[in-house]
Amino acid sequence: MSLPTKRLFIKTYGCQMNVYDSERMADVLGPLGYAMTQRPEEADLVVLNTCHIREKATEKVYSELGYIKAMKLARRAAGSDMVIAVAGCVAQAEGEQIMLRQPAVDLVVGPQAYHQLPELIARTHRARGERLAADFAADEKFDALPVERHPTGVTAFLTVQEGCDKFCTFCVVPYTRGGEWSRPVDTILAEARSLAQQGVREVTLLGQNVNAYAGEGGLAGLARKLAKIEGLDRIRYTTSHPADMDQALIDAHAELPQLMPYLHLPVQSGSDKILKAMNRAHTADSYLRLVEKTRAARPDIAMSGDFIVGFPGERDSDFEATLSLVREVGYATAFSFKYSRRPGTPAAAMPGQVAEEVKDERLARLNALLDEQQKAFNLSQVGQVLPVLFEKSGRHPGQLSGRSPYLQAVHCDGPDRLIGKIVPVRIEAAAKMSLAGVLEQVPA
């Protein structure tokens, strides 16, 4: 006898780690009869999977909870009910304060307690027991989650590492996700094989500090093992720290065709003074030497980075050093942010907080330079033939959408039977965010 279907709505904020965690929450709730819905107002269970990194993240969650509370009251008036859960890093950071501030919330679930969702929900329905679950070890979470996943496309995220021991002074990750912990190689390989058997052609290995992966052979060794899995044709990873970018991983980029020529390597600033204040454990020069060695090993590699402008104490000369580093590296894509105070982090109490209008001006200048570089990189692909993994139908009839090795979106006309295949595409046009082309050949 099958379980009656309940409806589950998950809203995911922030990073790819949260996307992965949301997928696993759906997996662990599936056996309880929960099926996904895209309409929160009709859900029996609403989960907000939160991120604590971005500015005003907590306030955005409370604002969203106000809307969800109104839906819950409407459901109750109609004779049914809705359970509201707050998960993720805001849950870990705020804990019971969430339920004190917004009593409509039934559950608060930290990043390491998703495997307890079925029991927590049962307790909630019985109107007894604890409602707060935020302090569990990472290995407990992964041991308790279902081995079998149900990917919805030809690409998938695969968490291999959680937490961070770097303690950058601006970052809350060590406090919300805990210290660095690496999943065993065998469990990762088993999950990857299952994904490949279900049609996944590309995996992105996830970790708050993924190249600190401490399983046997490190991240390079793991990539070499994953490359042997039949059907798994592309491997990516994010996010990396320059202090953990070792020669073995650089060599893997040169030797493994499955390891895509794309490296997201956040630098945050080009000023050694600011990098020291951030506790980044690298200098501008050591970062540039890493880029140089990586490009020597894989000349076509596309560089991506993260930048923070307006960190406490940042002067005009420090910001100019960042612009100089950007010009020297030449990024294919990058992510840039204004510094925002995160409660409890050392940087929040530092002197020399930068005025918002100065941050705005610096961010605009940095973005103009990064946009120029991204446009130039995309234009450099015009006339090239790139292997494109088609992921889905495009927005227009007869159109396909996929990704180049450099993570660019690529659109071209073609039959739907090519979805899930890697096909050569001649690039004919480039925009800031995507490429357009024609099939060089159509596989049988």
Side-chain angles (χ1 to χ4, degrees):
M1 180 178 177
S2 62
L3 289 168
T5 300
K6 306 180 188 73
R7 289 159 295 188
L8 168 66
F9 175 82
I10 304 177
K11 180 168 184 176
T12 307
Y13 301 76
C15 66
Q16 295 99 328
M17 292 286 286
N18 273 12
V19 174
Y20 175 89
D21 285 344
S22 291
E23 290 178 358
R24 300 319 312 270
M25 281 190 273
D27 288 341
V28 81
L29 291 168
L32 274 72
Y34 282 96
M36 293 295 294
T37 177
Q38 300 303 312
R39 295 170 57 83
E41 65 272 16
E42 67 181 24
D44 300 288
L45 171 61
V46 172
V47 180
L48 302 185
N49 192 11
T50 61
C51 176
H52 205 257
I53 301 299
R54 302 290 179 252
E55 186 176 8
K56 299 180 180 177
T58 304
E59 293 308 312
K60 290 178 181 177
V61 171
Y62 284 115
S63 176
E64 186 73 20
L65 284 172
Y67 291 111
I68 302 299
K69 176 186 177 182
M71 296 177 192
K72 179 173 184 171
L73 293 174
R75 288 286 302 276
R76 188 170 293 170
S80 59
D81 203 3
M82 172 190 288
V83 174
I84 301 176
V86 178
C89 291
V90 171
Q92 186 72 31
E94 296 287 307
E96 63 185 8
Q97 291 300 315
I98 293 175
M99 290 186 293
L100 292 173
R101 184 169 168 181
Q102 179 49 273
V105 174
D106 299 288
L107 298 171
V108 177
V109 186
Q112 311 308 343
Y114 300 145
H115 61 289
Q116 297 231 333
L117 269 171
E119 173 59 18
L120 291 169
I121 291 166
R123 291 180 182 183
T124 299
H125 282 303
R126 293 194 301 265
R128 65 178 179 83
E130 62 181 300
R131 299 195 299 165
L132 177 67
D135 296 313
F136 294 89
D139 54 347
E140 290 181 9
K141 177 180 82 171
F142 286 108
D143 286 346
L145 289 173
V147 173
E148 190 70 19
R149 289 176 59 189
H150 303 286
T152 57
V154 299
T155 66
F157 294 126
L158 177 53
T159 291
V160 302
Q161 180 270 342
E162 287 211 9
C164 184
D165 295 341
K166 297 297 185 288
F167 287 93
C168 297
T169 56
F170 55 82
C171 186
V172 298
V173 165
Y175 313 104
T176 58
R177 290 274 180 170
E180 290 174 2
W181 183 86
S182 299
R183 294 180 68 190
V185 171
D186 289 347
T187 62
I188 295 169
L189 294 178
E191 188 170 336
R193 290 189 192 100
S194 172
L195 291 171
Q197 289 166 3
Q198 296 178 75
V200 168
R201 305 290 302 278
E202 173 183 302
V203 293
T204 299
L205 310 180
L206 298 181
Q208 271 85 24
N209 191 18
V210 70
N211 57 345
Y213 177 73
E216 182 183 356
L219 191 64
L222 177 62
R224 293 182 187 280
K225 292 180 175 68
L226 288 167
K228 296 177 181 178
I229 295 177
E230 184 177 355
L232 198 59
D233 298 309
R234 289 184 168 188
I235 302 167
R236 304 184 188 273
Y237 60 91
T238 193
T239 292
S240 301
H241 194 292
D244 293 306
M245 191 71 193
D246 60 18
Q247 188 62 48
L249 188 53
I250 292 173
D251 291 343
H253 274 284
E255 298 163 7
L256 293 180
Q258 293 90 344
L259 195 54
M260 290 294 94
Y262 178 91
L263 176 59
H264 183 65
L265 193 64
V267 62
Q268 306 300 359
S269 174
S271 163
D272 285 348
K273 183 192 83 175
I274 297 301
L275 289 171
K276 184 176 181 180
M278 290 177 167
N279 195 34
R280 285 292 291 171
H282 64 84
T283 65
D285 184 69
S286 68
Y287 179 87
L288 291 169
R289 299 293 75 79
L290 272 177
V291 173
E292 183 180 290
K293 287 199 296 183
T294 305
R295 281 180 167 156
R298 185 71 193 256
D300 68 331
I301 200 159
M303 293 301 303
S304 174
D306 287 352
F307 297 89
I308 294 173
V309 302
F311 188 82
E314 184 185 71
R315 298 181 181 275
D316 287 343
S317 57
D318 300 309
F319 176 66
E320 291 297 333
T322 296
L323 295 179
S324 177
L325 182 143
V326 171
R327 294 187 187 101
E328 185 164 352
V329 172
Y331 288 92
T333 184
F335 305 90
S336 53
F337 312 95
K338 294 188 299 181
Y339 168 74
S340 63
R341 290 184 177 185
R342 310 311 300 157
T345 60
M350 285 182 177
Q353 299 288 329
V354 177
E356 287 299 316
E357 58 269 22
V358 175
K359 294 180 190 176
D360 290 337
E361 187 271 338
R362 289 176 182 169
L363 185 63
R365 290 179 60 196
L366 176 60
N367 282 342
L369 177 57
L370 292 171
D371 288 349
E372 179 184 308
Q373 291 188 345
Q374 182 172 349
K375 182 179 179 181
F377 180 77
N378 286 351
L379 284 171
S380 73
Q381 307 304 310
V382 175
Q384 303 294 317
V385 177
L386 300 179
V388 174
L389 172 58
F390 287 118
E391 301 175 4
K392 58 185 178 181
S393 299
R395 286 184 290 180
H396 306 293
Q399 186 185 62
L400 296 176
S401 179
R403 294 280 176 180
S404 78
Y406 311 112
L407 206 58
Q408 299 145 304
V410 181
H411 306 291
C412 75
D413 290 339
D416 284 348
R417 62 181 175 82
L418 297 184
I419 293 173
K421 297 184 181 297
I422 298 174
V423 183
V425 175
R426 182 172 295 279
I427 305 303
E428 295 190 331
K432 177 186 173 183
M433 303 301 294
S434 64
L435 305 175
V438 294
L439 296 173
E440 182 75 357
Q441 63 186 59
V442 181

